[in-house]
């Protein structure tokens, strides 16, 4: 897997579905994130725990990532789709 580093948050378009909500992690089913990940369900770390407060299992969202997927990618922004 290539290392991908975003200096600024990178918006990930297209609908993504929340499958599980944990204190510091969201499990999200997503389509391919070009240059990053194939279509699958991935656990993404939250940059701030308060980001998960309005999110529920089954919600369709869009989000922005910062960091590297292999090491420290974190969700830095979440919005309803």
């Amino acid at each position: 897997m290539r290392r991908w580093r975003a200096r600024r948050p990178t918006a990930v378009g297209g609908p993504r579905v929340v499958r599980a909500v944990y204190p510091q992690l969201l499990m999200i089913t997503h389509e391919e994130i070009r240059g990053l990940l194939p279509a699958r369900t991935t656990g993404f770390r939250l940059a701030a725990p308060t980001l998960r407060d309005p999110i529920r299992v089954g919600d369709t969202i869009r989000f922005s990532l910062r960091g590297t997927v292999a090491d420290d990618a974190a969700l830095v922004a979440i919005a309803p789709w």
Side-chain angles (χ1 to χ4, degrees):
M1 179 181 292
R2 278 190 275 166
R3 290 184 56 87
W4 173 81
R5 182 163 302 279
R7 298 194 193 300
R8 288 185 246 162
T10 300
V12 178
R16 284 41 173 139
V17 179
V18 177
R19 299 298 180 190
V21 178
Y22 298 102
Q24 296 184 7
L25 185 83
L26 288 183
M27 296 297 294
I28 301 172
T29 299
H30 56 83
E31 295 178 3
E32 177 186 11
I33 301 173
R34 188 174 291 169
L36 235 47
L37 294 168
R40 65 183 192 183
T41 299
T42 304
F44 290 104
R45 185 174 56 86
L46 297 166
T50 56
L51 287 172
R52 74 169 157 71
D53 290 342
I55 304 300
R56 301 287 178 256
V57 172
D59 286 354
T60 302
I61 61 168
R62 56 186 167 181
F63 58 86
S64 295
L65 291 172
R66 185 180 348 196
T68 62
V69 169
D71 299 318
D72 63 352
L75 294 170
V76 294
I78 303 170
W81 183 251

Coordinates of all heavy atoms in Angstrom, one line a residue:
M1 N 0.8 -1.2 0.0 CA 0.0 0.0 0.0 C 0.9 1.2 0.0 O 1.8 1.3 0.7 CB -0.9 0.0 1.2 CG -1.8 1.2 1.3 SD -2.8 1.3 2.8 CE -3.9 -0.1 2.4
R2 N 0.6 2.2 -0.9 CA 1.3 3.4 -0.9 C 1.0 4.3 0.3 O -0.1 4.3 0.8 CB 0.9 4.2 -2.1 CG 1.6 3.8 -3.4 CD 1.3 4.8 -4.5 NE 0.0 4.4 -5.0 CZ -0.7 5.2 -5.8 NH1 -0.3 6.4 -6.1 NH2 -1.8 4.8 -6.3
R3 N 2.1 5.0 0.7 CA 1.9 5.9 1.8 C 1.3 7.2 1.3 O 1.8 7.7 0.3 CB 3.2 6.2 2.6 CG 3.6 5.0 3.3 CD 4.9 5.3 4.1 NE 4.8 6.4 5.0 CZ 4.3 6.3 6.2 NH1 3.9 5.2 6.7 NH2 4.3 7.4 7.0
W4 N 0.3 7.7 1.9 CA -0.4 8.9 1.5 C -0.5 9.9 2.6 O -0.8 9.5 3.7 CB -1.9 8.5 1.1 CG -2.7 9.6 0.7 CD1 -2.8 10.3 -0.4 CD2 -3.7 10.2 1.6 NE1 -3.8 11.3 -0.4 CE2 -4.4 11.2 0.8 CE3 -4.2 9.9 2.9 CZ2 -5.4 12.0 1.4 CZ3 -5.2 10.7 3.4 CH2 -5.8 11.7 2.6
R5 N 0.0 11.0 2.4 CA 0.0 12.0 3.5 C -0.7 13.3 3.0 O -0.3 13.9 2.0 CB 1.5 12.4 3.9 CG 1.5 13.3 5.0 CD 2.8 13.4 5.7 NE 3.2 12.1 6.3 CZ 2.8 11.6 7.4 NH1 1.9 12.2 8.1 NH2 3.3 10.4 7.8
A6 N -1.6 13.7 3.8 CA -2.3 14.9 3.5 C -1.9 16.0 4.4 O -1.9 15.8 5.6 CB -3.8 14.7 3.6
R7 N -1.3 17.1 3.9 CA -0.9 18.2 4.8 C -2.1 18.9 5.3 O -2.1 19.4 6.4 CB 0.0 19.1 4.0 CG 1.3 18.4 3.5 CD 2.3 19.4 3.1 NE 3.4 18.8 2.4 CZ 4.3 17.9 2.8 NH1 4.1 17.4 4.0 NH2 5.3 17.5 2.1
R8 N -3.1 19.1 4.5 CA -4.3 19.7 4.9 C -5.4 18.6 4.8 O -5.2 17.6 4.1 CB -4.7 20.8 3.9 CG -3.9 22.0 4.0 CD -4.4 23.1 3.1 NE -3.4 23.3 2.1 CZ -3.6 23.8 0.9 NH1 -4.7 24.3 0.6 NH2 -2.6 24.0 0.1
P9 N -6.5 18.8 5.5 CA -7.6 17.8 5.4 C -8.0 17.5 4.0 O -8.1 18.5 3.2 CB -8.7 18.4 6.3 CG -8.0 19.3 7.2 CD -6.8 19.8 6.4
T10 N -8.2 16.3 3.6 CA -8.6 15.9 2.3 C -10.1 15.5 2.3 O -10.4 14.5 3.1 CB -7.7 14.8 1.7 OG1 -6.4 15.3 1.7 CG2 -8.2 14.4 0.3
A11 N -11.0 16.1 1.6 CA -12.4 15.7 1.5 C -12.5 14.4 0.8 O -11.9 14.2 -0.3 CB -13.2 16.8 0.9
V12 N -13.3 13.6 1.3 CA -13.6 12.3 0.7 C -15.1 12.3 0.2 O -16.0 12.4 1.1 CB -13.4 11.1 1.7 CG1 -13.7 9.8 1.0 CG2 -11.9 11.1 2.1
G13 N -15.3 12.4 -1.1 CA -16.7 12.6 -1.6 C -17.4 11.3 -1.7 O -16.9 10.2 -1.4
G14 N -18.6 11.4 -2.1 CA -19.5 10.2 -2.3 C -20.0 9.8 -0.9 O -19.5 10.0 0.1
P15 N -21.2 9.1 -0.9 CA -21.8 8.7 0.3 C -21.0 7.6 1.0 O -20.6 6.7 0.3 CB -23.2 8.2 -0.1 CG -23.1 7.9 -1.6 CD -22.0 8.8 -2.1
R16 N -20.9 7.6 2.3 CA -20.3 6.6 3.1 C -21.3 6.3 4.2 O -21.9 7.2 4.8 CB -19.0 7.2 3.8 CG -17.7 7.3 2.9 CD -17.9 7.8 1.6 NE -16.6 8.1 0.9 CZ -16.4 7.8 -0.3 NH1 -17.3 7.2 -1.1 NH2 -15.2 8.1 -0.9
V17 N -21.4 5.0 4.6 CA -22.3 4.6 5.5 C -21.6 4.2 6.8 O -20.7 3.4 6.8 CB -23.2 3.4 5.0 CG1 -24.2 2.9 6.1 CG2 -23.9 3.8 3.7
V18 N -22.1 4.7 8.0 CA -21.5 4.4 9.3 C -22.0 3.0 9.7 O -23.2 2.8 9.7 CB -21.9 5.4 10.3 CG1 -21.4 5.1 11.7 CG2 -21.4 6.8 9.9
R19 N -21.1 2.1 10.0 CA -21.5 0.7 10.4 C -21.4 0.5 11.9 O -22.1 -0.4 12.4 CB -20.6 -0.3 9.7 CG -20.8 -0.3 8.2 CD -22.2 -0.6 7.7 NE -22.3 -0.5 6.3 CZ -23.4 -0.6 5.7 NH1 -24.6 -0.6 6.3 NH2 -23.5 -0.5 4.4
A20 N -20.5 1.2 12.5 CA -20.3 1.1 14.0 C -19.7 2.4 14.5 O -18.9 3.0 13.8 CB -19.4 -0.1 14.4
V21 N -20.1 2.7 15.8 CA -19.5 3.9 16.4 C -18.9 3.5 17.7 O -19.6 2.9 18.6 CB -20.7 4.9 16.7 CG1 -20.1 6.2 17.4 CG2 -21.4 5.3 15.4
Y22 N -17.6 3.8 17.9 CA -16.9 3.5 19.1 C -16.4 4.8 19.7 O -16.4 5.8 19.0 CB -15.7 2.6 18.8 CG -16.2 1.2 18.3 CD1 -16.1 0.9 16.9 CD2 -16.7 0.3 19.1 CE1 -16.5 -0.3 16.4 CE2 -17.1 -1.0 18.7 CZ -17.0 -1.2 17.3 OH -17.4 -2.5 16.8
P23 N -15.9 4.9 20.9 CA -15.4 6.1 21.5 C -14.4 6.9 20.7 O -14.5 8.1 20.6 CB -14.8 5.7 22.9 CG -15.6 4.5 23.2 CD -15.8 3.8 21.9
Q24 N -13.5 6.3 20.0 CA -12.5 7.0 19.2 C -12.4 6.4 17.8 O -11.3 6.7 17.2 CB -11.1 6.9 20.0 CG -11.2 7.6 21.3 CD -9.8 7.7 22.0 OE1 -8.8 7.3 21.4 NE2 -9.8 8.1 23.2
L25 N -13.4 5.7 17.3 CA -13.3 5.1 16.0 C -14.7 5.0 15.4 O -15.6 4.8 16.1 CB -12.7 3.7 16.2 CG -12.4 2.9 15.0 CD1 -11.1 3.3 14.4 CD2 -12.4 1.4 15.3
L26 N -14.7 5.2 14.1 CA -15.9 5.0 13.3 C -15.6 3.9 12.3 O -14.6 4.0 11.6 CB -16.4 6.3 12.6 CG -17.0 7.4 13.4 CD1 -17.5 8.5 12.4 CD2 -18.2 6.9 14.2
M27 N -16.5 2.9 12.1 CA -16.4 1.9 11.1 C -17.3 2.4 10.0 O -18.5 2.7 10.2 CB -16.8 0.6 11.5 CG -16.0 0.0 12.6 SD -14.3 -0.3 12.2 CE -14.5 -1.6 10.9
I28 N -16.7 2.6 8.8 CA -17.4 3.2 7.7 C -17.2 2.4 6.4 O -16.1 2.0 6.0 CB -16.9 4.7 7.4 CG1 -17.0 5.5 8.6 CG2 -17.5 5.3 6.2 CD1 -16.3 6.9 8.5
T29 N -18.4 2.1 5.8 CA -18.3 1.4 4.5 C -18.2 2.5 3.4 O -19.1 3.4 3.4 CB -19.6 0.5 4.3 OG1 -19.6 -0.5 5.3 CG2 -19.6 -0.1 2.9
H30 N -17.2 2.4 2.5 CA -17.0 3.4 1.5 C -16.7 2.8 0.2 O -16.3 1.6 0.1 CB -15.9 4.3 2.0 CG -14.6 3.6 2.3 ND1 -13.7 3.3 1.3 CD2 -14.1 3.1 3.4 CE1 -12.7 2.6 1.8 NE2 -12.9 2.5 3.1
E31 N -16.9 3.6 -0.9 CA -16.4 3.2 -2.2 C -14.9 3.4 -2.2 O -14.3 3.9 -1.3 CB -17.1 4.0 -3.2 CG -18.6 3.7 -3.3 CD -19.3 4.6 -4.3 OE1 -18.7 5.4 -5.0 OE2 -20.6 4.5 -4.4
E32 N -14.3 3.1 -3.4 CA -12.9 3.4 -3.5 C -12.5 4.8 -3.2 O -13.2 5.7 -3.6 CB -12.4 3.1 -4.9 CG -10.9 3.3 -5.1 CD -10.5 3.2 -6.6 OE1 -11.3 3.1 -7.4 OE2 -9.3 3.2 -6.8
I33 N -11.5 5.0 -2.4 CA -10.9 6.3 -2.2 C -9.7 6.3 -3.0 O -8.6 5.7 -2.6 CB -10.6 6.6 -0.7 CG1 -11.9 6.4 0.1 CG2 -10.0 8.0 -0.5 CD1 -11.7 6.5 1.7
R34 N -9.8 6.9 -4.2 CA -8.7 6.9 -5.2 C -7.3 7.2 -4.6 O -7.1 8.2 -3.9 CB -9.0 7.8 -6.3 CG -8.1 7.6 -7.5 CD -8.5 8.5 -8.7 NE -9.7 7.9 -9.2 CZ -10.5 8.5 -10.1 NH1 -10.1 9.7 -10.5 NH2 -11.6 7.9 -10.5
G35 N -6.4 6.3 -4.9 CA -5.0 6.5 -4.4 C -4.8 6.1 -3.0 O -3.7 6.2 -2.5
L36 N -5.9 5.7 -2.3 CA -5.8 5.4 -0.9 C -6.2 4.0 -0.5 O -5.4 3.2 0.0 CB -6.8 6.4 -0.2 CG -6.3 7.3 0.9 CD1 -5.0 8.0 0.6 CD2 -7.4 8.2 1.3
L37 N -7.5 3.7 -0.7 CA -8.1 2.4 -0.3 C -9.1 1.9 -1.3 O -9.8 2.7 -1.9 CB -8.9 2.6 1.0 CG -8.1 3.0 2.3 CD1 -9.1 3.4 3.4 CD2 -7.3 1.8 2.7
P38 N -9.1 0.6 -1.5 CA -10.2 0.0 -2.3 C -11.5 0.1 -1.6 O -11.6 0.5 -0.4 CB -9.8 -1.4 -2.4 CG -9.0 -1.7 -1.2 CD -8.3 -0.4 -0.9
A39 N -12.6 -0.1 -2.2 CA -13.9 -0.1 -1.6 C -14.0 -1.2 -0.5 O -13.6 -2.3 -0.8 CB -15.0 -0.4 -2.7
R40 N -14.4 -0.8 0.7 CA -14.5 -1.8 1.8 C -15.0 -1.1 3.0 O -15.4 0.1 2.9 CB -13.1 -2.3 2.1 CG -12.1 -1.3 2.6 CD -10.7 -1.9 2.8 NE -9.9 -1.0 3.5 CZ -8.6 -1.3 3.8 NH1 -8.1 -2.4 3.5 NH2 -7.9 -0.4 4.5
T41 N -15.0 -1.8 4.1 CA -15.4 -1.2 5.4 C -14.1 -0.9 6.2 O -13.3 -1.9 6.3 CB -16.3 -2.1 6.2 OG1 -17.5 -2.2 5.4 CG2 -16.7 -1.4 7.6
T42 N -13.9 0.3 6.6 CA -12.6 0.7 7.3 C -12.9 1.3 8.6 O -13.9 2.1 8.7 CB -11.9 1.7 6.4 OG1 -11.7 1.1 5.1 CG2 -10.5 2.0 7.0
G43 N -12.1 1.1 9.6 CA -12.1 1.8 10.9 C -11.3 3.1 10.8 O -10.1 3.0 10.5
F44 N -11.9 4.2 11.0 CA -11.1 5.5 10.9 C -11.1 6.1 12.3 O -12.2 6.2 13.0 CB -11.8 6.5 10.0 CG -11.6 6.1 8.5 CD1 -12.7 5.6 7.8 CD2 -10.4 6.3 7.9 CE1 -12.6 5.3 6.5 CE2 -10.3 6.0 6.5 CZ -11.4 5.5 5.8
R45 N -10.0 6.5 12.8 CA -9.8 7.1 14.1 C -10.4 8.6 14.0 O -10.3 9.2 13.0 CB -8.3 7.2 14.4 CG -7.9 7.7 15.8 CD -6.4 7.6 16.0 NE -5.6 8.3 15.0 CZ -5.3 9.5 15.0 NH1 -5.7 10.3 16.0 NH2 -4.5 10.1 14.0
L46 N -10.9 9.0 15.1 CA -11.5 10.4 15.2 C -10.4 11.3 15.7 O -9.8 11.0 16.8 CB -12.7 10.4 16.1 CG -13.9 9.6 15.7 CD1 -14.9 9.4 16.9 CD2 -14.6 10.2 14.5
A47 N -10.2 12.5 15.1 CA -9.3 13.5 15.6 C -9.8 14.0 16.9 O -8.9 14.4 17.7 CB -9.1 14.6 14.5
A48 N -11.1 14.1 17.1 CA -11.7 14.6 18.3 C -12.9 13.8 18.7 O -13.7 13.6 17.8 CB -12.1 16.1 18.2
P49 N -13.0 13.3 19.9 CA -14.1 12.5 20.3 C -15.5 13.1 20.0 O -16.5 12.4 19.8 CB -13.9 12.2 21.7 CG -12.5 12.5 22.0 CD -12.1 13.5 21.0
T50 N -15.6 14.4 20.1 CA -16.8 15.1 19.9 C -17.4 15.0 18.5 O -18.6 15.2 18.3 CB -16.7 16.6 20.3 OG1 -15.7 17.2 19.5 CG2 -16.4 16.8 21.7
L51 N -16.6 14.6 17.5 CA -17.0 14.4 16.2 C -18.1 13.3 16.1 O -18.9 13.3 15.2 CB -15.8 14.1 15.2 CG -14.9 15.2 14.9 CD1 -13.7 14.6 14.1 CD2 -15.6 16.2 14.0
R52 N -18.0 12.3 17.0 CA -19.0 11.2 16.9 C -20.3 11.5 17.5 O -21.3 10.7 17.3 CB -18.4 10.0 17.5 CG -18.3 10.0 19.0 CD -17.9 8.6 19.6 NE -17.4 8.7 20.9 CZ -18.0 9.1 22.0 NH1 -19.3 9.4 21.9 NH2 -17.4 9.1 23.1
D53 N -20.4 12.6 18.3 CA -21.7 12.8 19.0 C -22.9 12.8 18.2 O -23.9 12.2 18.6 CB -21.6 14.1 19.8 CG -20.6 14.0 21.0 OD1 -20.2 12.9 21.4 OD2 -20.1 15.1 21.5
P54 N -23.0 13.5 17.0 CA -24.3 13.4 16.3 C -24.4 12.2 15.4 O -25.4 12.0 14.7 CB -24.2 14.7 15.4 CG -22.7 14.9 15.2 CD -22.1 14.4 16.5
I55 N -23.4 11.4 15.3 CA -23.3 10.3 14.3 C -24.0 9.0 14.9 O -23.7 8.6 16.0 CB -21.9 10.0 13.9 CG1 -21.2 11.2 13.3 CG2 -21.8 8.8 12.9 CD1 -21.9 11.8 12.1
R56 N -24.8 8.3 14.1 CA -25.4 7.1 14.5 C -25.2 6.0 13.4 O -25.0 6.3 12.3 CB -26.9 7.3 14.6 CG -27.4 8.4 15.6 CD -27.2 7.9 17.0 NE -27.5 8.9 18.0 CZ -26.6 9.7 18.7 NH1 -25.4 9.5 18.5 NH2 -27.0 10.6 19.5
V57 N -25.2 4.8 13.9 CA -25.1 3.6 12.9 C -26.2 3.8 11.9 O -27.3 4.1 12.2 CB -25.2 2.3 13.7 CG1 -25.3 1.1 12.7 CG2 -24.1 2.1 14.6
G58 N -25.8 3.6 10.6 CA -26.7 3.7 9.5 C -26.7 5.1 8.8 O -27.2 5.2 7.7
D59 N -26.1 6.1 9.5 CA -26.1 7.4 8.9 C -25.2 7.4 7.6 O -24.2 6.7 7.5 CB -25.4 8.4 9.8 CG -26.3 8.9 11.0 OD1 -27.5 8.5 11.0 OD2 -25.8 9.6 11.8
T60 N -25.6 8.2 6.6 CA -24.8 8.4 5.4 C -24.1 9.7 5.6 O -24.8 10.7 5.8 CB -25.7 8.4 4.1 OG1 -26.4 7.2 4.1 CG2 -24.9 8.5 2.9
I61 N -22.8 9.7 5.5 CA -22.0 10.9 5.8 C -21.0 11.1 4.7 O -20.8 10.3 3.8 CB -21.2 10.7 7.1 CG1 -20.2 9.5 7.0 CG2 -22.2 10.5 8.3 CD1 -19.2 9.4 8.1
R62 N -20.4 12.3 4.7 CA -19.2 12.6 4.0 C -18.1 13.1 5.0 O -18.5 13.5 6.1 CB -19.4 13.7 2.9 CG -20.0 14.9 3.5 CD -20.3 15.9 2.3 NE -21.2 16.9 2.9 CZ -21.7 17.9 2.2 NH1 -21.5 17.9 0.9 NH2 -22.5 18.8 2.8
F63 N -16.9 13.0 4.7 CA -15.9 13.3 5.7 C -14.6 13.7 5.1 O -14.3 13.6 3.9 CB -15.6 12.1 6.6 CG -15.2 10.8 5.9 CD1 -13.8 10.6 5.7 CD2 -16.1 9.8 5.6 CE1 -13.4 9.4 5.0 CE2 -15.7 8.7 5.0 CZ -14.3 8.5 4.7
S64 N -13.7 14.3 6.0 CA -12.3 14.7 5.6 C -11.3 14.0 6.4 O -11.6 13.8 7.6 CB -12.2 16.2 5.7 OG -13.0 16.9 4.9
L65 N -10.2 13.5 5.8 CA -9.2 12.8 6.5 C -7.9 13.7 6.5 O -7.7 14.5 5.6 CB -8.8 11.6 5.7 CG -9.8 10.4 5.7 CD1 -9.3 9.4 4.7 CD2 -10.0 9.8 7.0
R66 N -7.1 13.4 7.5 CA -5.8 14.0 7.6 C -4.8 12.9 8.1 O -5.2 12.1 9.0 CB -5.7 15.2 8.6 CG -4.4 15.8 8.6 CD -4.2 17.0 9.5 NE -5.5 17.4 10.0 CZ -5.7 18.6 10.5 NH1 -4.8 19.5 10.7 NH2 -6.9 18.9 11.0
G67 N -3.6 12.8 7.6 CA -2.6 11.8 8.0 C -2.4 10.8 6.9 O -2.7 11.0 5.8
T68 N -1.9 9.6 7.3 CA -1.7 8.6 6.4 C -2.6 7.4 6.8 O -2.8 7.1 7.9 CB -0.2 8.0 6.5 OG1 0.0 7.5 7.8 CG2 0.8 9.1 6.1
V69 N -3.2 6.8 5.8 CA -4.1 5.7 6.0 C -3.5 4.6 6.8 O -4.0 4.0 7.7 CB -4.8 5.3 4.7 CG1 -5.6 4.0 4.9 CG2 -5.7 6.4 4.2
A70 N -2.3 4.2 6.3 CA -1.6 3.1 7.0 C -1.2 3.3 8.4 O -1.2 2.4 9.2 CB -0.3 2.7 6.1
D71 N -0.9 4.6 8.8 CA -0.4 4.8 10.1 C -1.3 5.6 11.0 O -1.7 5.2 12.1 CB 0.9 5.6 10.0 CG 2.0 4.9 9.3 OD1 2.1 3.6 9.5 OD2 2.7 5.5 8.5
D72 N -1.7 6.8 10.6 CA -2.4 7.7 11.5 C -3.5 8.5 10.9 O -3.8 9.6 11.4 CB -1.3 8.6 12.2 CG -0.7 9.5 11.2 OD1 -0.9 9.4 10.0 OD2 0.1 10.4 11.6
A73 N -4.2 8.0 9.9 CA -5.3 8.8 9.3 C -6.3 9.0 10.3 O -6.7 8.1 11.1 CB -5.8 8.0 8.1
A74 N -6.8 10.2 10.4 CA -7.9 10.6 11.3 C -9.0 11.4 10.6 O -8.7 12.2 9.7 CB -7.3 11.4 12.4
L75 N -10.2 11.1 11.0 CA -11.3 11.9 10.5 C -11.3 13.3 11.2 O -11.2 13.3 12.4 CB -12.7 11.3 10.9 CG -12.9 9.9 10.2 CD1 -14.2 9.3 10.8 CD2 -13.2 10.1 8.7
V76 N -11.2 14.3 10.4 CA -11.2 15.7 11.0 C -12.4 16.5 10.8 O -12.6 17.5 11.4 CB -9.9 16.5 10.5 CG1 -8.7 15.8 11.0 CG2 -10.0 16.6 9.0
A77 N -13.3 16.0 9.9 CA -14.6 16.7 9.7 C -15.6 15.6 9.2 O -15.3 14.8 8.4 CB -14.5 17.8 8.6
I78 N -16.8 15.7 9.7 CA -17.9 14.8 9.3 C -19.2 15.6 9.1 O -19.4 16.5 9.9 CB -18.2 13.8 10.4 CG1 -16.9 13.0 10.7 CG2 -19.3 12.8 10.0 CD1 -17.0 12.1 12.0
A79 N -19.9 15.3 8.0 CA -21.1 16.0 7.8 C -22.1 15.0 7.2 O -21.7 14.0 6.6 CB -20.9 17.2 6.8
P80 N -23.4 15.3 7.4 CA -24.4 14.4 6.7 C -24.3 14.5 5.2 O -23.9 15.5 4.7 CB -25.8 15.0 7.2 CG -25.5 16.0 8.2 CD -24.0 16.3 8.1
W81 N -24.7 13.4 4.6 CA -24.6 13.4 3.1 C -25.8 14.0 2.5 O -26.9 14.0 2.9 CB -24.5 12.0 2.6 CG -24.4 11.9 1.1 CD1 -25.3 11.5 0.2 CD2 -23.3 12.4 0.3 NE1 -24.9 11.7 -1.1 CE2 -23.6 12.2 -1.1 CE3 -22.1 13.0 0.6 CZ2 -22.8 12.6 -2.1 CZ3 -21.2 13.3 -0.5 CH2 -21.6 13.1 -1.8

